[in-house]
Amino acid sequence: MSIRIKFQRVSSARPTIKSLLAAALFTGATAVWAQGAAVPASNPLRIGVIGPLTGASADFGVPMFNGVQQAVDEINAVGGYLGRKIELVKKDDQANPDVGLKMSQELVAEKVSATIGFCNTGVAAKSLDVFQGNQMPLIIPCATGSPLTAKFPGPDSYVFRTSAKDAIQAPFVVEDIVKRGWNKVAVFADTTGYGDAGLKDVESALTAKKLQPVYVTRFKLGVTDLTEELKAARAAGANVVFSYTVGPENAVIARGRQALGWKVPQVGAWPLSFPSFVEGGKEAADGALMAQTFIAEPSNERRASFLTGYARKFNVKKIPVPMAAAQGYDAMYILVYALLGIRDGNLSGPAIKSALENKNRTYYGVVATYDQPFSKQDKDAISANMLVMGQVKNGAVTFAYPEDAKRNLFVQRKQ
């Protein structure tokens, strides 16, 4: 077995992802070989990837998958996992909980070692028991519903996440709107699992500030007119609209406000950065504020390399949902770095779970620097200090505050 390693001269303060991976693969391989573990190089390491690759949620499902694929191609280019190529087993859940459940069962039947996936909270929720019951580690790179990583007791749970759960996004946004003097909040939440969990998180965050929503409404996905609900929110005296939904429904809210001439801000979690809102709402979307873990600006070497690599690989000028791509990319690297901590070649589910939970080599990622992203008790890699406030400006998402743009020069660590 042989591994081809490419070394680069880099600053110790700003190591490149490829140089760090090459070093990690070299030292990891040496440790395993020293213990006599036989790993057939011709046998690929199969990793599942599941998400909405078609349908209404494909605008962030496809970038998520692409981010994972980009990471895999980089890893394979420097030897794969200890000489074994990584092979992705791709499943399209179509943003449908029943389809997602079927695809999850297929991944178990196809005996992948671990899975990265899910963009929709409701789809993920229906499949969690499949992964937990079969002791297959699942890393969620997009879905943010707080209950997903809380369903099973921490020490027993096989469910990990590299996206920011709503339990930190909602307080982050509430903190910002209170700071801006907006204290009469109308909440528009859809009736999916995402909307259910998000509404609870918003209400909890408001209660912590001794506030209550002045108006709350629920609606099903696919709604095309919320005029009456917006009128009711205006009559209740709302001075800000907090929307918790995905897809074009956010744009329905924005266009409805515009049609009424109701000039109040719209804020929310990360779906307000999606093309379905920014492009669907057009000028009505301008000024919207949302929580972000990653904004597609080359603020440092790692991010510039990731953005350039994505654009070249997938022949695009911009990523539709940069957060989805970056979090999928980081999830794949975190998984491989954890696998390198397994010294005896045992890639069973419990062994991979244990490796994810214990400190391994630091991974200098795109979203964050991961010293120890997970533990037995904590299955969420993202902490509140990693969030920045994004804002829609002239049809693009950028930093709402200049100080966040400056702070973003330095990749955050978990707190």
Side-chain angles (χ1 to χ4, degrees):
M1 172 170 49
S2 64
I3 294 180
R4 297 179 62 191
I5 306 294
K6 295 182 181 179
F7 293 97
Q8 292 176 283
R9 184 184 299 275
V10 294
S11 163
S12 60
R14 296 195 305 172
T16 66
I17 291 171
K18 287 186 178 179
S19 66
L20 286 166
L21 177 65
L25 284 167
F26 179 77
T27 55
T30 300
V32 174
W33 290 334
Q35 296 187 29
V39 182
S42 61
N43 183 22
L45 175 63
R46 305 177 79 234
I47 303 296
V49 184
I50 182 170
L53 307 179
T54 59
S57 293
D59 56 352
F60 61 124
V62 171
M64 178 275 288
F65 175 80
N66 287 349
V68 175
Q69 184 68 67
Q70 182 178 350
V72 166
D73 289 348
E74 290 175 1
I75 294 165
N76 283 339
V78 293
Y81 169 69
L82 306 184
R84 299 170 64 185
K85 294 294 185 182
I86 297 174
E87 177 184 293
L88 295 180
V89 180
K90 181 179 177 182
K91 300 292 181 181
D92 180 9
D93 65 31
Q94 302 172 32
N96 182 311
D98 293 325
V99 175
L101 177 60
K102 182 176 182 293
M103 295 298 102
S104 298
Q105 292 165 340
E106 288 184 4
L107 286 171
V108 171
E110 293 180 43
K111 300 186 184 302
V112 297
S113 295
T115 293
I116 295 172
F118 295 113
C119 289
N120 304 90
T121 294
V123 180
K126 189 155 188 176
S127 291
L128 293 185
D129 287 336
V130 173
F131 295 93
Q132 185 71 16
N134 287 279
Q135 296 186 324
M136 177 186 290
L138 168 69
I139 303 179
I140 300 172
C142 286
T144 58
S146 300
L148 296 180
T149 46
K151 180 172 183 178
F152 309 110
D156 302 328
S157 181
Y158 280 77
V159 181
F160 302 80
R161 175 160 48 192
T162 59
S163 55
K165 64 182 178 181
D166 293 320
I168 64 172
Q169 288 195 63
F172 178 78
V173 176
V174 166
E175 180 74 32
D176 187 72
I177 65 177
V178 170
K179 188 187 304 180
R180 292 170 181 263
W182 303 330
N183 57 0
K184 296 181 179 179
V185 184
V187 184
F188 282 60
D190 66 39
T191 53
T192 67
Y194 175 69
D196 287 340
L199 175 58
K200 291 176 183 177
D201 286 326
V202 172
E203 291 178 330
S204 176
L206 288 171
T207 298
K209 294 293 182 181
K210 299 181 179 179
L211 296 172
Q212 294 293 324
V214 298
Y215 178 79
V216 175
T217 189
R218 308 297 304 277
F219 52 89
K220 293 183 178 180
L221 291 184
V223 66
T224 58
D225 186 0
L226 290 167
T227 301
E228 294 306 313
E229 290 83 354
L230 287 163
K231 286 180 178 178
R234 183 174 61 180
N239 57 14
V240 61
V241 172
F242 201 132
S243 56
Y244 239 98
T245 185
V246 297
E249 291 75 17
N250 272 317
V252 170
I253 296 169
R255 292 195 303 269
R257 288 188 299 104
Q258 183 184 52
L260 291 174
W262 188 30
K263 297 181 179 179
V264 295
Q266 185 171 346
V267 303
W270 74 303
L272 287 181
S273 67
F274 291 8
S276 53
F277 173 69
V278 177
E279 297 171 8
K282 298 183 179 178
E283 66 272 10
D286 218 52
L289 297 162
M290 79 296 295
Q292 296 279 275
T293 61
F294 173 69
I295 290 176
E297 296 186 10
S299 53
N300 59 45
E301 185 177 350
R302 303 176 211 167
R303 290 169 177 156
S305 175
F306 166 73
L307 291 169
T308 301
Y310 189 104
R312 184 187 303 115
K313 182 174 183 60
F314 301 106
N315 194 29
V316 296
K317 291 184 178 180
K318 67 176 184 178
I319 307 173
V321 182
M323 275 179 62
Q327 289 166 180
Y329 180 90
D330 280 357
M332 188 68 237
Y333 268 104
I334 288 171
L335 175 60
V336 170
Y337 270 54
L339 293 177
L340 291 170
I342 298 175
R343 302 300 189 183
D344 59 1
N346 176 13
L347 296 186
S348 67
I352 296 174
K353 172 182 177 294
S354 178
L356 286 165
E357 293 168 343
N358 289 284
K359 182 172 175 59
N360 295 291
R361 298 166 183 81
T362 295
Y363 164 53
Y364 298 90
V366 175
V367 172
T369 293
Y370 302 92
D371 293 312
Q372 185 173 359
F374 309 117
S375 68
K376 287 185 178 181
Q377 293 292 345
D378 185 2
K379 298 300 190 286
D380 282 284
I382 302 298
S383 53
N385 64 296
M386 298 174 186
L387 297 178
V388 296
M389 188 61 68
Q391 185 173 26
V392 179
K393 291 182 180 179
N394 301 318
V397 176
T398 187
F399 294 97
Y401 296 108
E403 55 266 35
D404 275 351
K406 292 178 181 178
R407 187 170 68 92
N408 203 51
L409 293 171
F410 305 95
V411 182
Q412 300 298 304
R413 284 176 158 84
K414 188 173 182 178
Q415 292 181 1

